[in-house]
Amino acid sequence: MDANRRIEGALDAAVAHLEAPGAPPRLAEALRYAVFPGGHRIRPRLCLSVARACGDDDCRTSDAAAAAIELLHCASLVHDDLPCFDDAPLRRGKPSVHAAFGEPLAVLTGDALIVAAFETLARGAARSPNRLAALVGLVARAVGAPAGIVAGQAWESEPTVALTEYQQAKTGALFAAATVTGAAAAGVPSLPWRLLGECLGEAYQVADDLRDVACRQEEVGKPVGRDSTLGRPNAAALLGMGGAMARLKRLVREAMEVIPDCPGAEALRAEIAAQTRLFLPESLARELA
Amino acid sequence: MDANRRIEGALDAAVAHLEAPGAPPRLAEALRYAVFPGGHRIRPRLCLSVARACGDDDCRTSDAAAAAIELLHCASLVHDDLPCFDDAPLRRGKPSVHAAFGEPLAVLTGDALIVAAFETLARGAARSPNRLAALVGLVARAVGAPAGIVAGQAWESEPTVALTEYQQAKTGALFAAATVTGAAAAGVPSLPWRLLGECLGEAYQVADDLRDVACRQEEVGKPVGRDSTLGRPNAAALLGMGGAMARLKRLVREAMEVIPDCPGAEALRAEIAAQTRLFLPESLARELA
């Protein structure tokens, strides 16, 4: 089965469990709304690509890892869009969860998606308890304090921001989780795979900065120009468009070079090249080639 | 070591991991503030009491289960107190987290505590991967959708409330998690222990209703009279003080009767009698005897 079908199938199964009889109907609706339709599913694709490069001998476990990573990404989008953070009216081309369902359900939707990520791991990897133990720890590290995406968001509430920690935690941590959980789901040591995820996370951050500066809202499905409005650092503003594009290319090249030795390294390089083209809308991606 | 020291020690270790170098300092401060000083730690005490009644042959795992349950309880308090829910200014006799640290950090503190619960399980039960797998599933079920505490809170956003589902999810689910994870941490089947937790959860809900109607703010450390203000069902308002007290006694008696056969059943009965006395402040607890 191709990666796209695996990811959508695993996410659908995870959300279906949350909609079981007895669930509050509007919460159930908000949960599905927050997960479908998705964006490019960049992080779970990366997770499955790494799992495949490492042999992928246990698809239920790698599907669960990929779905968990995406559920956590969706949770972070729902909470980041809240009025007390970005107060974003749009996400993926439609009203954000709090705009559509109200603030209380948006808080609870994020909470429930975080929990669902761990439940999905427990269910999917039930027959591989040793891999499950590794996965729960890796995923928790990527999301919580001191250095996961929640900590990344929290840097915005500090009087002085540690810029490297901020960006690594806010974006890099979940990309690193995608690569290390892909390896752990396939039963191989995860540590050598962290650097690849960190490189790609940094590349994605630069691409996101480029989109914020150079694209129209319709192209990216969310408001643009937010970094300038919210006073956040932006690579395209700091380095210029050309400088940021050069940096993005360099990071993608570096990612290719740090792929650990593994049976499927060549195929993985091709997949990563295809996936990184999705970081930018077509108008910009042409310049990346 | 006595239960109190085990619980505080396990919670302190869990929070210390969140404060590691690189953590955003105010988030780290808010996390410790949300967990210490605690209340009566009723749920983790119940978890450890059940573990002990079942042999408790793996203290690191039962400590982790107890700490995870309490971290999730703290997370739910932080999010329930948010302006978009109860807008509560006080908790455990001091300003609530959002009152002390602002709304963004309160949202993130709750998120990070949810994640920390699972990380604590993964770390504490690392040498018992089969028990870990059971624990992650049981804890996730108690917290998320369709029937955990997040779903319980979400019923407040529904146009019509299913009262039984609401109360079972909002209060009962975490008490049930305390008993089943206590058993699972000791390596015995958890299902027979669910009913005990559900009984005690219902008893706690009645006690909480009594406190809301009959106590002063200084006795309970949070605002009272909230159910009436917020239009929520309250057993003491529905049944009268005498009726609610009789119901509480009946539920505690029922709890004693549904304790499964186990080596430490007698000691467990005594511990539960002591713990349920903590459900009410002294002025009311005398009437429970």
Side-chain angles (χ1 to χ4, degrees), chain B residues 15-31:
Chain B
V15 173
H17 277 285
L18 311 177
E19 298 166 322
R26 293 192 69 231
L27 175 66
E29 197 187 334
L31 286 163

Side-chain angles (χ1 to χ4, degrees), chain A residues 1-89:
Chain A
M1 209 192 294
D2 76 352
N4 189 45
R5 287 179 64 180
R6 287 178 63 182
I7 291 164
E8 299 305 318
L11 288 170
D12 182 59
V15 173
H17 277 286
L18 311 178
E19 298 166 324
R26 294 191 70 230
L27 176 66
E29 196 186 336
L31 286 162
R32 186 161 285 275
Y33 183 93
V35 179
F36 299 102
H40 289 305
R41 309 291 198 200
I42 287 172
R43 296 158 192 80
R45 288 167 78 117
L46 179 59
C47 174
L48 287 189
S49 292
V50 170
R52 191 150 40 204
C54 297
D56 201 15
D57 63 346
D58 178 355
C59 286
R60 285 195 62 195
T61 296
S62 49
D63 281 357
I69 298 286
E70 182 66 11
L71 291 170
L72 290 163
H73 175 56
C74 293
S76 80
L77 298 181
V78 174
H79 278 186
D80 289 1
D81 285 345
L82 283 171
C84 71
F85 296 111
D86 292 2
D87 197 13

Side-chain angles (χ1 to χ4, degrees), chain A residues 23-206:
Chain A
R26 294 191 70 230
L27 176 66
E29 196 186 336
L31 286 162
R32 186 161 285 275
Y33 183 93
V35 179
F36 299 102
H40 289 305
R41 309 291 198 200
I42 287 172
R43 296 158 192 80
R45 288 167 78 117
L46 179 59
C47 174
L48 287 189
S49 292
V50 170
R52 191 150 40 204
C54 297
D56 201 15
D57 63 346
D58 178 355
C59 286
R60 285 195 62 195
T61 296
S62 49
D63 281 357
I69 298 286
E70 182 66 11
L71 291 170
L72 290 163
H73 175 56
C74 293
S76 80
L77 298 181
V78 174
H79 278 186
D80 289 1
D81 285 345
L82 283 171
C84 71
F85 296 111
D86 292 2
D87 197 13
L90 281 180
R91 172 64 68 180
R92 291 173 176 166
K94 62 183 187 179
S96 57
V97 174
H98 75 88
F101 293 87
E103 201 177 335
L105 278 177
V107 172
L108 297 171
T109 296
D111 292 355
L113 290 174
I114 296 173
V115 176
F118 291 100
E119 191 169 20
T120 299
L121 287 178
R123 195 180 289 119
R127 290 182 213 163
S128 309
N130 282 308
R131 294 186 194 183
L132 173 64
L135 288 169
V136 173
L138 292 168
V139 165
R141 174 176 165 185
V143 182
I149 49 178
V150 168
Q153 185 68 21
W155 277 111
E156 295 180 12
S157 297
E158 296 289 333
T160 49
V161 178
L163 195 59
T164 311
E165 278 84 353
Y166 168 56
Q167 291 188 330
Q168 274 183 0
K170 186 156 182 186
T171 314
L174 208 51
F175 273 87
T179 54
V180 294
T181 58
V188 310
S190 63
L191 190 61
W193 289 90
R194 182 165 294 279
L195 193 54
L196 170 64
E198 285 173 355
C199 269
L200 291 172
E202 205 178 332
Y204 185 83
Q205 181 65 56
V206 175

Side-chain angles (χ1 to χ4, degrees), chain B residues 29-243:
Chain B
E29 197 187 334
L31 286 163
R32 186 162 284 278
Y33 183 91
V35 178
F36 299 101
H40 289 304
R41 309 288 197 202
I42 287 172
R43 296 158 192 80
R45 286 167 79 118
L46 179 59
C47 174
L48 287 188
S49 292
V50 169
R52 191 151 39 202
C54 298
D56 201 15
D57 63 345
D58 179 355
C59 287
R60 284 195 61 196
T61 297
S62 49
D63 281 357
I69 297 285
E70 182 66 12
L71 292 170
L72 289 164
H73 175 57
C74 294
S76 80
L77 298 180
V78 174
H79 279 186
D80 289 0
D81 285 345
L82 283 171
C84 70
F85 297 111
D86 292 2
D87 198 12
L90 281 180
R91 172 64 70 180
R92 290 173 177 166
K94 62 183 188 179
S96 56
V97 174
H98 76 89
F101 293 87
E103 202 178 333
L105 277 177
V107 172
L108 297 170
T109 296
D111 291 355
L113 290 174
I114 296 173
V115 176
F118 291 100
E119 191 168 22
T120 299
L121 288 178
R123 193 180 291 117
R127 290 183 212 163
S128 309
N130 282 309
R131 295 186 194 183
L132 172 64
L135 289 169
V136 173
L138 292 168
V139 165
R141 174 177 165 183
V143 182
I149 49 178
V150 168
Q153 184 69 21
W155 278 112
E156 294 180 13
S157 296
E158 296 290 334
T160 50
V161 177
L163 194 61
T164 311
E165 278 83 352
Y166 168 57
Q167 291 188 331
Q168 274 184 359
K170 185 154 181 186
T171 314
L174 208 51
F175 273 88
T179 54
V180 296
T181 58
V188 310
S190 61
L191 191 60
W193 289 90
R194 182 166 293 279
L195 194 53
L196 170 63
E198 285 172 355
C199 270
L200 292 172
E202 207 178 331
Y204 184 83
Q205 181 63 57
V206 175
D208 200 48
D209 289 357
L210 278 161
R211 290 188 297 171
D212 187 65
V213 166
C215 293
R216 283 169 302 112
Q217 177 171 304
E218 305 80 72
E219 279 182 296
V220 296
K222 62 179 182 178
V224 293
R226 304 289 288 175
D227 290 338
S228 156
T229 310
L230 299 167
R232 287 192 198 132
N234 181 301
L238 285 170
L239 308 172
M241 289 293 292

Side-chain angles (χ1 to χ4, degrees), chain B residues 211-278:
Chain B
R211 290 188 297 171
D212 187 65
V213 166
C215 293
R216 283 169 302 112
Q217 177 171 304
E218 305 80 72
E219 279 182 296
V220 296
K222 62 179 182 178
V224 293
R226 304 289 288 175
D227 290 338
S228 156
T229 310
L230 299 167
R232 287 192 198 132
N234 181 301
L238 285 170
L239 308 172
M241 289 293 292
M245 195 62 91
R247 183 165 176 170
L248 173 54
K249 282 186 196 175
R250 186 177 54 73
L251 284 163
V252 172
R253 221 169 30 236
E254 200 177 312
M256 300 298 189
E257 286 162 14
V258 301
I259 291 175
D261 273 340
C262 61
E266 267 322 299
L268 178 59
R269 271 186 198 97
E271 286 176 39
I272 286 176
Q275 287 168 20
T276 50
R277 277 195 291 277
L278 299 175

